[in-house]
Amino acid sequence: MAIEFMKENEIRFGRTAGGILTLEYMGESYPDVVLQRAFPLSKPMEYISVKTSAVHKDMSNELGIIRDIRLLSDENRTHVEKELADRYFVPIITKIETLKDDFGHVYMDVITDAGKRSIAVPNSPANFIKLGGNRLLLIDFDGNRYEIPEISALDRKSKKLLEVVI
């Protein structure tokens, strides 16, 4: 099955009264659609999969791919950006207050751009992912993601605590 890139000028996103993302595309209406990034870390604005929320027995639930959301109208881009921000919420860690490595589990009290959090992360390279340069992605036991965009920008204590696990 070939990838179908959606025509930006044929896309019209909206929302129900309850806030559910809707789509009108090429004469069809879809009352509940889901957006998913194909490359969430390296190309967050490109290659966005648009799917119906339910799989129909006679068709795939993928409607197509938006090549680049920056090519959408302002109204459509606003709907897409809000939906992706909600789906891919990744708090930025600005400070590490405590860190304890205990039998393969790393317990941390951190300050993020979304407030203070206590997180538990499995101590493995799959959960402390270096993204190039000084950027680090942490994935906790529940699958929540946290980012440190620049390790060197952390305060001295935070960097020292982080050395235990990276």
Side-chain angles (χ1 to χ4, degrees):
M1 185 160 111
I3 295 174
E4 180 184 325
F5 289 107
M6 300 177 85
K7 299 174 183 139
E8 290 86 2
N9 61 340
E10 299 262 348
I11 295 171
R12 178 152 167 66
F13 286 105
R15 293 212 178 263
T16 66
I20 307 265
L21 187 67
T22 63
L23 172 67
E24 289 181 25
Y25 183 63
M26 297 184 70
E28 296 288 328
S29 293
Y30 302 94
D32 185 0
V33 293
V34 176
L35 305 179
Q36 187 172 2
R37 289 180 166 129
F39 305 103
L41 300 175
S42 61
K43 295 184 184 288
M45 306 294 270
E46 300 172 46
Y47 306 109
I48 309 300
S49 173
V50 181
K51 300 177 181 184
T52 60
S53 62
V55 178
H56 301 286
K57 65 180 180 179
D58 58 343
M59 64 180 257
S60 164
N61 68 336
E62 185 168 73
L63 301 170
I65 304 281
I66 299 171
R67 190 182 305 266
D68 190 330
I69 67 173
R70 294 168 287 204
L71 302 175
L72 296 173
S73 69
D74 290 344
E75 182 180 355
N76 283 325
R77 188 172 50 253
T78 298
H79 284 298
V80 169
E81 287 174 345
K82 181 192 181 323
E83 194 71 14
L84 291 173
D86 290 347
R87 180 176 174 89
Y88 292 94
F89 178 63
V90 180
I92 304 295
I93 294 174
T94 57
K95 183 176 183 178
I96 301 170
E97 294 187 324
T98 65
L99 185 147
K100 181 180 177 188
D101 186 2
D102 189 26
F103 300 105
H105 302 87
V106 178
Y107 299 96
M108 304 169 72
D109 290 314
V110 299
I111 304 295
T112 74
D113 60 350
K116 188 172 183 174
R117 299 275 198 268
S118 293
I119 60 176
V121 181
N123 191 357
S124 81
N127 296 85
F128 288 88
I129 304 167
K130 292 185 179 182
L131 299 173
N134 240 349
R135 190 172 165 206
L136 186 67
L137 183 70
L138 289 75
I139 303 172
D140 73 7
F141 276 101
D142 296 322
N144 299 311
R145 296 168 184 257
Y146 298 86
E147 182 181 351
I148 301 174
E150 186 66 40
I151 295 170
S152 63
L154 292 173
D155 63 275
R156 174 184 270 166
K157 178 183 173 189
S158 296
K159 287 187 277 192
K160 186 103 172 124
L161 288 170
L162 197 55
E163 285 176 0
V164 171
V165 292
I166 59 169

